[in-house]
Amino acid sequence: MKVSRNKVVVTVLAGIVLVLFIATVAGLFYYREMIRKLGEVHEEEFTEYPRLYAYIAEDPDSQLSNRIYKEIAEYAVENDCYVEMTGQNLSTSYSKADRMNIAISSKVDGIILEGDDSKETAELIDKATANGIPVVTVLSDCQTSSRKSFVGLNNFSLGSEYGEELAAIGDMNKKYPMNALILLDGDDGNSDDIIHAAIQQAVTGRLIKLTSAVVDTSSPFTSEESVMNILDGLATIPDVIICLNDRTTESAIQCIVEKNLVGKTTILGYYDSDTILKAIDRGSVHATFAIETKTVAKQCVNALNEYNNTGFVSEYNPANYILINRQNVSEYTREDDTDEG
């Protein structure tokens, strides 16, 4: 029996239409399901904090500043407030004054500021106060301002400790007279000057000659270059190099290694980075002073919370420091690894 050509064509077309219809229906169901899933609202979990504080560092890239901020941020969350480092992770670099103005404009509930003695900083702190924002200075103070509290080391006491360690180096090596070079930070106001004066007083009567030089610590590169230029300009290499901040300490370590001066000079440093601790273990650094960042963090947050709660707070909260040398560096490193882990 013969089937007409028209019937075959109609049957084939009908089959194609049926397949397309089924595919279209299936597609519509799939599309509808996808829309339904995309339309589901997943409520994000977030925590609201009644207070927002700003942390403003002198140098946002400083290892010490970043460690203190980390400790402050963690402790703040435990105490019903949130701390943000103003100006961090931005494509544009902002000065400390710019970051202060950003915090004031943002109407934060308090500011933790690494202070200095400049007139500009004092005016900005007064501006924050006029806007109802309390300011707590940390590490370095701004005494001429209306800041509510200062959390930091007693610089004269720290300088005396440096002086005692310097004298101990002389007694241990039985090398007198001895020359010591103090590397000062040009941006640190009069804090370094106080430490310098205390070191001088501590070694009075000993055959120790103190000299000083200012280091450009605006970046790791400029710091290292500045230290290298200072050492290159000396007629004789000092027996001891005293460093008063983390960046200068690491720069000095790198310089004496590059100039093959390990064993010919030693360093009294500041801070406890891995680089500095390893240098103590290897003998290029005699000792370093490390600030107790956890204590500093607690005092900063507590000072702002206390002022916001009561309107009063202690004007000075002393921070503690630890002397790390070859006798205790391994123990300190283990504790440091545990904390960071």
Side-chain angles (χ1 to χ4, degrees):
M1 176 179 168
K2 293 183 178 181
V3 180
S4 69
R5 186 175 179 179
N6 289 340
K7 287 185 178 181
V8 172
V9 171
V10 171
T11 302
V12 172
L13 290 174
I16 293 173
V17 170
L18 181 61
V19 170
L20 290 173
F21 176 76
I22 294 172
T24 301
V25 172
L28 289 172
F29 275 108
Y30 176 77
Y31 179 74
R32 183 178 179 182
E33 182 64 16
M34 291 297 294
I35 292 296
R36 185 186 67 80
K37 289 181 177 180
L38 289 173
E40 290 180 353
V41 177
H42 298 282
E43 186 174 344
E44 295 184 9
E45 294 184 1
F46 62 92
T47 304
E48 288 190 17
Y49 296 95
R51 289 172 182 161
L52 171 64
Y53 298 146
Y55 177 71
I56 300 174
E58 180 73 42
D59 175 11
D61 296 324
S62 163
Q63 295 182 66
L64 177 58
S65 295
N66 276 277
R67 182 185 290 186
I68 290 176
Y69 170 64
K70 177 177 177 291
E71 301 285 3
I72 285 175
E74 291 176 357
Y75 184 75
V77 168
E78 297 171 3
N79 288 269
D80 209 22
C81 52
Y82 186 84
V83 180
E84 183 179 76
M85 183 180 274
T86 304
Q88 193 178 41
N89 299 322
L90 297 177
S91 58
T92 304
S93 178
Y94 291 93
S95 68
K96 187 165 77 170
D98 290 336
R99 286 177 276 134
M100 271 291 287
N101 280 313
I102 290 172
I104 295 170
S105 299
S106 301
K107 297 180 180 179
V108 296
D109 299 295
I111 296 174
I112 301 168
L113 171 71
E114 292 183 19
D116 59 69
D117 288 325
S118 71
K119 181 180 178 182
E120 180 182 37
T121 297
E123 289 174 349
L124 285 168
I125 293 175
D126 293 343
K127 178 181 177 182
T129 302
N131 281 271
I133 303 172
V135 177
V136 169
T137 52
V138 61
L139 298 182
S140 296
D141 198 9
C142 185
Q143 295 183 354
T144 58
S145 71
S146 56
R147 61 100 174 109
K148 304 306 178 187
S149 182
F150 168 56
V151 178
L153 298 171
N154 182 316
N155 289 317
F156 192 85
S157 175
L158 178 59
S160 298
E161 292 288 338
Y162 271 112
E164 290 181 14
E165 284 302 307
L166 180 58
I169 293 172
D171 293 341
M172 179 179 65
N173 296 332
K174 294 181 170 51
K175 183 175 181 180
Y176 287 108
M178 186 168 67
N179 295 315
L181 171 67
I182 305 176
L183 297 179
L184 307 173
D185 183 353
D187 295 327
D188 208 25
N190 69 352
S191 298
D192 284 2
D193 294 335
I194 295 173
I195 295 173
H196 188 179
I199 295 173
Q200 183 70 68
Q201 181 172 313
V203 299
T204 298
R206 293 178 177 268
L207 295 175
I208 299 176
K209 181 183 178 181
L210 291 178
T211 56
S212 63
V214 177
V215 178
D216 179 1
T217 57
S218 55
S219 74
F221 175 77
T222 57
S223 177
E224 186 176 327
E225 183 180 39
S226 183
V227 172
M228 187 68 79
N229 290 337
I230 290 169
L231 295 180
D232 286 340
L234 297 176
T236 57
I237 296 300
D239 301 298
V240 181
I241 300 172
I242 301 175
C243 305
L244 305 183
N245 62 54
D246 56 330
R247 184 163 284 176
T248 302
T249 304
E250 294 199 350
S251 296
I253 292 169
Q254 185 64 29
C255 288
I256 69 169
V257 170
E258 290 182 7
K259 293 176 70 67
N260 198 27
L261 295 174
V262 177
K264 299 176 183 178
T265 185
T266 190
I267 295 172
L268 274 177
Y270 184 82
Y271 193 57
D272 57 340
S273 67
D274 288 341
T275 298
I276 296 171
L277 296 179
K278 288 177 182 176
I280 293 174
D281 195 47
R282 293 169 182 167
S284 53
V285 173
H286 173 77
T288 190
F289 290 94
I291 191 169
E292 291 186 349
T293 53
K294 286 183 181 295
T295 302
V296 169
K298 291 179 181 179
Q299 289 174 331
C300 288
V301 174
N302 289 343
L304 282 178
N305 281 343
E306 182 179 347
Y307 184 82
N308 280 322
N309 288 335
T310 67
F312 300 96
V313 67
S314 173
E315 286 193 9
Y316 175 57
N317 290 284
N320 298 321
Y321 50 81
I322 304 168
L323 175 67
I324 305 174
N325 52 31
R326 296 197 74 176
Q327 282 67 51
N328 66 352
V329 65
S330 58
E331 178 183 355
Y332 192 84
T333 303
R334 284 197 298 274
E335 290 177 357
D336 189 57
D337 289 343
T338 301
D339 290 341
E340 292 183 1

